Amino acid sequence: MQLEEPRALQVDESEQLDESTRRDTMTINMGPQHPSTHGVLRLVLTLDGETILKAQPDIGYLHTGIEKTAEGKSYFKSLVVTDRMDYLAPLCNNLGYSLAVEKLLGIDVPEKARFARVALAELQRIASHLVWLGSSALDLGAQSVFLYCFRERELILDIFEACSGVRMMTSYIMPGGLQADLPPNFEQLVRGFIKIFPKRLREYHDLLTNNRLWIDRTRGICLLPAEKAIALGCSGPTLRGSGVAYDVRKVFPYSGYERFAFDVPVGANGDVYDRYLVRMLEMRESLKIIQQAMDGMPEGRWQVDDPKIVAPHKYEVSSNMEALIHHFKLYTEGYRPPAGEVYVRTESPKGELGFYMVSDGSAKPYRMHVRAPSFANLQALPLMIEGYLISDVVAAIGSIDIVLGEVDR
Amino acid sequence: MADEQRMGAPELATPSNPLAAATVAFLRERFPDDVLDASEYRGEMTITVRPERIAEVCRALRDEPRLAYNYIADITAVDWLERDPRYDVVYHLLSLATYGVVRLKAQVGDEDTPDPELPTVTTVWPGADWFEREIYDLFGLRFAGHPNQTRILMPEDWVGHPLRKDYPLTGIHLPEPHWGGQVLLDESLPAGMGRQTLRTNDRTGVPRSDNLTPDASEDTPPDTHANDHAR
Amino acid sequence: MGIDDQKTSERVNPWAPVQYVSNTQTPRLPRNIEPADGGNILLTSVNKLIDWGRSNSLWPATFGLACCAIEMMSASASRWDISRFGAEVFRASPRQADLMIVAGRLSVKMAPVLRHIYDQMPDPKWVIAMGACASCGGVFNNYAIIQGVDKVVPVDVYVPGCPPTPEMLLHGLNLLQEKIRQRIPTPPDPLKVTGVTYIGSED
């Protein structure tokens, strides 16, 4: 298939100089309440007809003060607010936070917890990409893809509900391991999912990847060159779609990722279609990782065996005095990591999610800063949509896959 | 199992340690007076530099071919209330060529300068733009040379910098029965009070505990919320 | 009274809620109330028909703010089909909607926008506060989050949860439908009570 010319219109310099041929530009406001902005994002667009001349994002409509809230709660309690930042992938946020706190404490989790964390994080990645696919396809007109994606997502949420009782904000991955042991039907549920998902993924490919309408809406649209992406601090599929092979799971592996065999899809052109394909292929790679994690899952403890960090089991608390005291101290005060600071990066479905935690030796984090991937990726949006049409803005926002909860925190 | 768990997190050891030492050596050679400290904790190298020279230091780190720190991962600030200098501005750098990581720190702020200023690094990495705006919004630190130094997360007319340690978590509220900043537009704010976008221009409507009577017209239902405010 | 004393047919359903509408709402009207226009049989039936039509075709305006919006999207997807209750038509424009489901946490910067969108909706309109953050501020009691959207718009139904499962949202929708059919009035407008106007939302 012939690759068409990019549709960016060239602004002719000579036309603008003469007063009589001055173009009238229009400044319009898109959002914050808008079905396609994927949350409360406001864009102030300067248009010439339908062509974007300049775009200025206005964020902060979901600012929740999560970083300041975490400064007032103990390390265990702050886990709960980390779910609510990137609300499409709460387990990935929990994982990043738990790894940071564990690094501060200087502890390791048992093997079973590591494997389970990997399996859950990859399931969460698939769930997040399904919401991305459903909503960006819906924005570009493919309504049935939305329903199919949410049908598969319900299966993943069933797995999370079996583990923790909660569909979305599970807080299941905590510093020290998992909140509770994996349920007895975990293996059956996950293997059942692995069995049916490849066929469903092929269904999505059949619907979109070679679809003439989809290609027209996404090929050659909103290009992001690799040097600009690097200079702006983009990460994740936004950066990999432009050809830069940077995946935190490969470069700075955590939680045992170095033991899993998987590929990292990288795009060529940096347009919307490449970013779409990168995420679709990532879902397939995640399935591979989950398969390997389930095959290699050891038996054993799911939490660190240290009562000063993780509360002892309830039957011990009711019979053993030390266990009771540990339980009391943990839930009233909490553990005190030694003073210091760490920065732990993980690969969330949106990009490089970093947790910078500063401890001053007390039971509460002195500073928790979250390096949100969508915050940096959104800086690339004005550059991406300059010169394209207003209907391409919708495709661009969908392709960056922003989550305003983590942009605004 | 216990000994395996106390090993000090080997899985998180960054592969950047040889490059971190090279970075310190390079900076000590290039900027001998400006590197104040270099330390390592849990496998991460932190280099403290003089805040006035931070832009040059970052540019040198980016342009040096052996190190090539071309990616700004994160810029943030920490408020050490009892310490002088008060703020730590922390830069996390990454090299996509060599996968080296380093943390730079610039310490600013003392009793005489409540709103300290330091140079911007947006000329080195354009992606630093929003990170610095966020620090300005939430901490009040200014960045000289920043293209667009405005509030990014809080409303434009917000007073105060929320992430400072002396700003209360629940915000600065007007006394009861106000629930959000219901100050009249043409009144000046009481000293030390924050301001929100919820302003009123209706003189009669500012609730005080003595003027809350339910609306007596017949088509509006009895106001069961009246008592909620006169707490 | 022991559980063995009751015959199975007489046993009260222990899971039935004690009351359907919270006490902080306006006083509940008794059922089978005579309408204000004087008890004309024809008008009563017409009113009942109108209420039935309104309750079964609520068109929500998309006001998903945060995490609850994702559960709202799940409620409109195929497993928990909101279309069973006539509410699958999520209108992007508030001028075409009559239900606003405020799903998510309302930050200080967003509050004027919420009120603006609410003002743009034509009467009759209803509001469901979905989630703990919309009902009362939820997990976040701080400078940035309005502690309950009922400080900004009058709320008819509160759906707790963080986030509420789609079933809970649909239950809230059913309660609203009953409320419409029973002609229970909406609580008073909080801005009229407190006299606040939002900058940028005066009409």
Side-chain angles (χ1 to χ4, degrees):
Chain A
M1 191 184 320
Q2 275 293 79
L3 190 62
E4 293 177 290
E5 295 261 324
R7 278 206 257 139
L9 299 177
Q10 304 298 329
V11 176
D12 201 348
E13 296 298 318
S14 57
E15 276 190 77
Q16 285 179 319
L17 297 173
D18 191 9
E19 189 62 35
S20 58
T21 60
R22 185 179 61 91
R23 281 208 186 98
D24 278 322
T25 59
M26 194 169 40
T27 305
I28 65 163
N29 176 56
M30 183 168 164
Q33 189 257 357
H34 192 279
S36 306
T37 53
H38 295 268
V40 284
L41 168 68
R42 177 172 173 236
L43 288 176
V44 181
L45 302 168
T46 310
L47 301 173
D48 168 30
E50 269 199 36
T51 320
I52 314 270
L53 296 177
K54 201 175 85 147
Q56 216 176 332
D58 182 12
I59 60 175
Y61 290 92
L62 202 55
H63 179 62
T64 318
I66 285 182
E67 299 185 348
K68 196 159 175 95
T69 307
E71 287 174 18
K73 297 183 189 283
S74 70
Y75 283 90
F76 182 61
K77 291 184 191 166
S78 308
L79 174 68
V80 168
V81 294
T82 57
D83 278 300
R84 284 141 179 94
M85 286 185 301
D86 176 3
Y87 41 78
L88 292 178
L91 277 171
C92 296
N93 295 10
N94 290 340
L95 178 59
Y97 177 78
S98 302
L99 289 171
V101 175
E102 283 156 17
K103 195 167 181 187
L104 270 181
L105 288 166
I107 60 169
D108 262 346
V109 293
E111 281 298 306
K112 180 174 183 187
R114 275 199 214 131
F115 273 82
R117 280 177 171 187
V118 167
L120 290 165
E122 294 305 316
L123 278 170
Q124 187 65 261
R125 188 182 312 272
I126 297 180
S128 167
H129 283 333
L130 283 172
V131 178
W132 156 78
L133 180 61
S135 48
S136 44
L138 181 66
D139 289 340
L140 294 181
Q143 290 183 1
S144 15
V145 180
F146 173 78
L147 293 173
Y148 295 155
C149 289
F150 271 74
R151 177 191 60 187
E152 264 66 79
R153 191 180 132 89
E154 293 294 336
L155 301 173
I156 301 180
L157 294 182
D158 279 344
I159 299 176
F160 295 151
E161 198 176 356
C163 290
S164 60
V166 189
R167 284 154 52 92
M168 274 173 67
M169 310 298 160
T170 56
S171 301
Y172 188 58
I173 295 177
M174 66 179 238
L178 304 174
Q179 287 259 20
D181 196 6
L182 296 173
N185 57 348
F186 183 73
E187 172 143 6
Q188 171 208 351
L189 283 170
V190 176
R191 287 202 195 274
F193 178 75
I194 298 174
K195 207 149 134 243
I196 59 154
F197 193 64
K199 184 153 162 286
R200 304 286 165 91
L201 204 49
R202 264 190 298 255
E203 238 178 60
Y204 309 144
H205 273 292
D206 284 341
L207 283 170
L208 292 174
T209 305
N210 290 320
N211 186 333
R212 181 72 217 189
L213 298 170
W214 184 257
I215 292 177
D216 273 347
R217 283 302 299 265
T218 56
R219 254 249 178 105
I221 299 300
C222 299
L223 285 134
L224 181 65
E227 321 78 51
K228 295 259 167 66
I230 297 174
L232 286 167
C234 298
S235 53
T238 312
L239 183 65
R240 292 198 282 277
S242 302
V244 182
Y246 171 55
D247 185 333
V248 181
R249 295 174 292 173
K250 288 286 194 193
V251 175
F252 303 108
Y254 52 93
S255 192
Y257 265 106
E258 60 273 3
R259 288 177 283 200
F260 295 94
F262 62 101
D263 299 315
V264 172
V266 170
N269 303 318
D271 56 9
V272 173
Y273 189 69
D274 279 349
R275 292 191 278 272
Y276 153 80
L277 270 182
V278 163
R279 289 195 182 95
M280 296 295 284
L281 295 172
E282 263 183 20
M283 280 201 262
R284 199 190 299 164
E285 300 301 320
S286 291
L287 269 184
K288 275 193 220 161
I289 301 177
I290 300 172
Q291 177 87 51
Q292 292 168 48
M294 294 311 296
D295 290 338
M297 178 92 68
E299 297 294 317
R301 292 188 58 87
W302 63 94
Q303 278 174 340
V304 163
D305 196 5
D306 188 348
K308 301 217 188 296
I309 294 171
V310 155
H313 204 277
K314 243 345 188 169
Y315 67 77
E316 273 178 62
V317 170
S318 15
S319 51
N320 184 343
M321 191 58 190
E322 280 123 20
L324 178 67
I325 297 177
H326 278 129
H327 179 101
F328 176 75
K329 284 293 280 179
L330 274 172
Y331 285 113
T332 51
E333 191 192 355
Y335 40 80
R336 296 164 172 259
E341 55 196 0
V342 293
Y343 179 76
V344 169
R345 23 167 70 92
T346 56
E347 180 80 17
S348 95
K350 316 289 179 296
E352 175 186 326
L353 175 67
F355 275 84
Y356 173 62
M357 303 223 42
V358 179
S359 159
D360 61 342
S362 75
K364 303 187 178 176
Y366 191 78
R367 172 93 173 101
M368 174 182 96
H369 173 74
V370 180
R371 189 265 183 204
S374 305
F375 189 72
N377 290 349
L378 196 52
Q379 290 186 81
L381 184 69
L383 183 78
M384 243 195 247
I385 59 179
E386 217 170 286
Y388 290 92
L389 302 178
I390 200 170
S391 47
D392 299 329
V393 176
V394 168
I397 297 178
S399 77
I400 313 180
D401 193 12
I402 46 168
V403 174
L404 267 299
E406 69 175 358
V407 170
D408 292 338
R409 271 160 284 130
Chain B
M1 283 293 155
D3 50 353
E4 173 189 291
Q5 278 139 25
R6 281 264 164 210
M7 267 190 308
E11 60 174 32
L12 293 172
T14 58
S16 67
N17 288 337
L19 284 160
T23 312
V24 178
F26 167 75
L27 282 182
R28 283 226 154 97
E29 183 201 321
R30 202 51 120 76
F31 301 93
D33 310 316
D34 302 317
V35 175
L36 301 174
D37 186 32
S39 62
E40 188 161 332
Y41 182 71
R42 303 258 193 253
E44 296 173 16
M45 174 69 75
T46 305
I47 308 175
T48 311
V49 294
R50 230 180 264 283
E52 306 84 45
R53 306 277 285 157
I54 187 74
E56 284 99 12
V57 168
C58 288
R59 189 181 301 276
L61 285 172
R62 183 195 68 176
D63 295 335
E64 169 68 18
R66 287 176 299 133
L67 301 173
Y69 284 106
N70 55 353
Y71 188 86
I72 178 76
D74 188 22
I75 311 179
T76 186
V78 187
D79 178 8
W80 296 97
L81 189 53
E82 308 294 323
R83 193 187 74 174
D84 182 16
R86 182 171 169 182
Y87 302 99
D88 268 348
V89 183
V90 183
Y91 300 76
H92 288 94
L93 305 171
L94 165 69
S95 167
L96 285 176
T98 60
Y99 294 133
V101 276
V102 76
R103 181 186 300 134
L104 292 179
K105 258 199 210 178
Q107 294 175 333
V108 288
D110 51 22
E111 277 176 332
D112 307 317
T113 44
D115 291 319
E117 193 167 320
L118 63 160
T120 183
V121 297
T122 49
T123 45
V124 183
W125 304 285
D129 185 349
W130 280 18
F131 289 114
E132 292 183 346
R133 269 179 80 185
E134 186 192 338
I135 298 176
Y136 165 65
D137 188 0
L138 298 176
F139 284 94
L141 310 182
R142 318 189 69 87
F143 289 88
H146 194 278
N148 180 20
Q149 182 127 176
T150 49
R151 287 193 180 264
I152 187 172
L153 294 178
M154 305 306 295
E156 273 99 31
D157 55 352
W158 195 266
V159 167
H161 299 282
L163 243 60
R164 289 188 176 179
K165 287 286 179 182
D166 45 5
Y167 192 94
L169 175 64
T170 45
I172 300 175
H173 292 299
L174 295 171
E176 285 284 352
H178 309 277
W179 51 265
Q182 287 112 296
V183 182
L184 297 170
L185 272 175
D186 44 0
E187 252 179 25
S188 62
L189 288 164
M193 290 301 176
R195 188 175 73 201
Q196 304 176 16
T197 50
L198 316 172
R199 300 291 292 270
T200 184
N201 48 18
D202 176 2
R203 291 211 154 263
T204 57
V206 178
R208 314 221 186 276
S209 48
D210 51 328
N211 75 349
L212 282 173
T213 49
D215 197 352
S217 62
E218 54 216 64
D219 47 339
T220 56
D223 182 3
T224 53
H225 293 274
N227 293 327
D228 293 349
H229 297 277
R231 257 175 271 138
Chain C
M1 185 160 40
I3 204 151
D4 307 312
D5 298 354
Q6 276 178 314
K7 287 207 286 268
T8 317
S9 55
E10 292 171 341
R11 198 175 292 165
V12 172
N13 179 5
W15 307 117
V18 173
Q19 57 183 72
Y20 279 93
V21 182
S22 123
N23 287 331
T24 56
Q25 293 282 347
T26 48
R28 297 204 310 282
L29 303 171
R31 293 177 189 234
N32 304 319
I33 187 178
E34 291 295 321
D37 42 314
N40 185 334
I41 298 280
L42 184 62
L43 283 179
T44 312
S45 316
V46 170
N47 277 332
K48 277 217 170 87
L49 184 67
I50 292 175
D51 288 336
W52 174 85
R54 278 182 181 153
S55 64
N56 282 326
S57 66
L58 286 165
W59 286 7
T62 59
F63 211 84
L65 295 167
C67 350
C68 286
I70 312 298
E71 289 292 53
M72 189 165 67
M73 282 155 63
S74 289
S76 69
S78 45
R79 189 188 269 196
W80 283 286
D81 190 13
I82 206 174
S83 152
R84 298 180 269 170
F85 306 106
E88 82 277 13
V89 200
F90 277 82
R91 308 307 300 177
S93 162
R95 301 222 186 257
Q96 298 163 3
D98 51 8
L99 169 67
M100 185 160 77
I101 306 182
V102 186
R105 46 198 190 245
L106 184 70
S107 85
V108 176
K109 201 166 170 181
M110 191 67 186
V113 179
L114 172 68
R115 184 67 208 189
H116 197 42
I117 302 286
Y118 178 78
D119 290 337
Q120 284 178 337
M121 285 165 67
D123 274 326
K125 54 190 173 188
W126 298 275
V127 175
I128 293 182
M130 175 183 179
C133 294
S135 305
C136 64
V139 201
F140 305 108
N141 184 5
N142 54 30
Y143 62 90
I145 295 292
I146 303 282
Q147 302 294 298
V149 298
D150 53 357
K151 295 188 189 290
V152 178
V153 293
V155 174
D156 292 282
V157 175
Y158 299 81
V159 182
C162 195
T165 61
E167 301 162 297
M168 291 164 70
L169 176 63
L170 293 177
H171 181 61
L173 187 72
N174 288 344
L175 287 182
L176 180 66
Q177 288 177 326
E178 251 192 65
K179 184 175 179 176
I180 295 172
R181 273 179 244 139
Q182 290 179 32
R183 311 203 116 214
I184 298 175
T186 304
D189 192 336
L191 295 195
K192 289 205 178 62
V193 170
T194 57
V196 173
T197 49
Y198 282 75
I199 308 301
S201 75
E202 304 94 347
D203 277 334

